[in-house]
Amino acid sequence: MTTTLGVVFLPFLPPEQLREAAQAAEAAGLEELWLWEDCFRESGIAAAAAALAWTTRLRVGIGVLPVPLRNVALTAMELATLARMFPDRLLAGVGHGVQDWMQQVGGRVASPLTLLREQTTALRALLEGQTLQTAGRYVHLDDVALDWPPAFPPPLLLGAVGPKTLSLSGELADGTILTGATTPEQVASARETIDAARREAAVSRRHTVTVYLPAATGPDAGDRLARELTEWGMGTDSGIGVAGNAAAIAAAAQRYVLAGADTIVFQPTRDEPDLAGFMGVIARDVRALMP
């Protein structure tokens, strides 16, 4: 199966640059553009709606919507609206959120895993057109159903790091999103945990693994990547990220594919001087070198 390639539009960039980036991604032939709902930068839903409206073919992923920030009925309404307006082009990711940020907004809960389980279960059911009567620890729905559920619900993905969340993703989700701090060895381990949970839950639907890969190309690629890794609290000897030409980037991506990744989303540095050019390298040069 062909590996899917994407690029992140980082929320460190001002939102008014998204239109140019989304259209550049589509013009380059990139398959997916990914967005982050990081506190307190940019809305995942608003940015996704705009990117989808400005393009005609590009798939747009949200990775991820922090569930402590959101009532599940509202998330379902928003995702259903996008899925109906832009069929087969939305990828919806949800996750715990960064707990310090959740604390800042008064949304931190005693059991993030329970909240994610309850929200994911309810979200899938609502998007499938079910009527819910739910009284969980955190999710309470009284005869709730969407008036406009999508004919084909978008793939529901979970952002995951730890083994418990990876297992939950395998049980409930259509895919897992792994952070840019993930090595190929960790991808392989995550895949094993996910697949074990799928077997235990007797889940047969396909489950994809998406991983962010920090990358830089151009004459100062090494320096920019080193600064980026330092900013993220990772050393240059961590085995994370790749700097170099298309061949080097493709080789790094292939290591993740062999470890079990289905989608590689390249994460440019915050000081990337030519985002459109970076997208072109990924869509044309790196794609041509992927087996």
Side-chain angles (χ1 to χ4, degrees):
M1 184 175 293
T2 302
T3 305
T4 301
L5 303 183
V7 168
V8 184
F9 177 84
L10 295 171
F12 305 103
L13 300 172
E16 58 268 24
Q17 293 183 12
L18 177 58
R19 180 172 189 164
E20 181 180 356
Q23 292 176 340
E26 181 154 274
L30 196 66
E31 295 153 80
E32 294 181 358
L33 182 70
W34 281 76
L35 306 164
W36 294 353
E37 187 166 83
D38 273 8
C39 297
F40 300 96
R41 297 185 175 97
E42 294 166 13
S43 159
I45 294 293
L52 287 162
W54 287 326
T55 56
T56 59
R57 175 200 54 80
L58 188 69
R59 291 194 299 273
V60 175
I62 308 172
V64 297
L65 299 170
V67 296
L69 280 176
R70 299 177 156 273
N71 183 286
V72 68
L74 177 60
T75 303
M77 290 162 58
E78 291 176 323
L79 293 178
T81 300
L82 291 177
R84 289 184 68 106
M85 291 193 297
F86 307 102
D88 300 320
R89 293 179 56 207
L90 176 67
L91 302 161
V94 297
H96 294 301
V98 176
Q99 294 306 297
D100 286 347
W101 291 340
M102 300 304 101
Q103 179 72 32
Q104 281 182 269
V105 298
R108 188 166 185 166
V109 298
S111 179
L113 193 69
T114 300
L115 174 61
L116 186 58
R117 173 180 288 279
E118 291 183 0
Q119 283 237 12
T120 302
T121 302
L123 182 58
R124 177 180 289 282
L126 289 169
L127 290 173
E128 290 176 350
Q130 298 181 36
T131 301
L132 294 190
Q133 192 82 29
T134 302
R137 182 174 178 181
Y138 299 111
V139 174
H140 303 269
L141 299 173
D142 183 9
D143 197 29
V144 175
L146 297 179
D147 282 12
W148 298 102
F152 301 98
L156 185 57
L157 315 178
L158 260 63
V161 176
K164 290 182 180 180
T165 310
L166 289 167
S167 293
L168 184 69
S169 183
E171 176 188 348
L172 298 181
D174 300 308
T176 300
I177 303 169
L178 303 176
T179 74
T182 308
T183 65
E185 294 75 19
Q186 289 169 326
V187 170
S189 177
R191 185 102 231 187
E192 290 177 2
T193 301
I194 292 164
D195 289 345
R198 284 164 51 78
R199 288 191 297 270
E200 184 174 348
V203 175
S204 60
R205 62 178 174 266
R206 182 170 181 254
H207 189 102
T208 61
V209 171
T210 297
V211 61
Y212 295 116
L213 176 56
T217 190
D220 60 345
D223 291 339
R224 285 192 290 110
L225 181 63
R227 289 196 298 270
E228 191 78 5
L229 293 177
T230 300
E231 188 71 28
W232 289 106
M234 296 180 284
T236 55
D237 59 349
S238 60
I240 302 296
V242 56
N245 59 16
I249 294 174
Q254 185 62 11
R255 290 193 287 273
Y256 283 87
V257 173
L258 293 174
D262 302 287
T263 298
I264 310 297
V265 182
F266 295 94
Q267 181 179 315
T269 61
R270 281 180 257 193
D271 58 354
E272 168 59 55
D274 182 8
L275 184 57
F278 178 81
M279 292 174 173
V281 169
I282 300 302
R284 293 185 291 266
D285 303 337
V286 173
R287 164 56 72 204
L289 294 170
M290 295 291 290

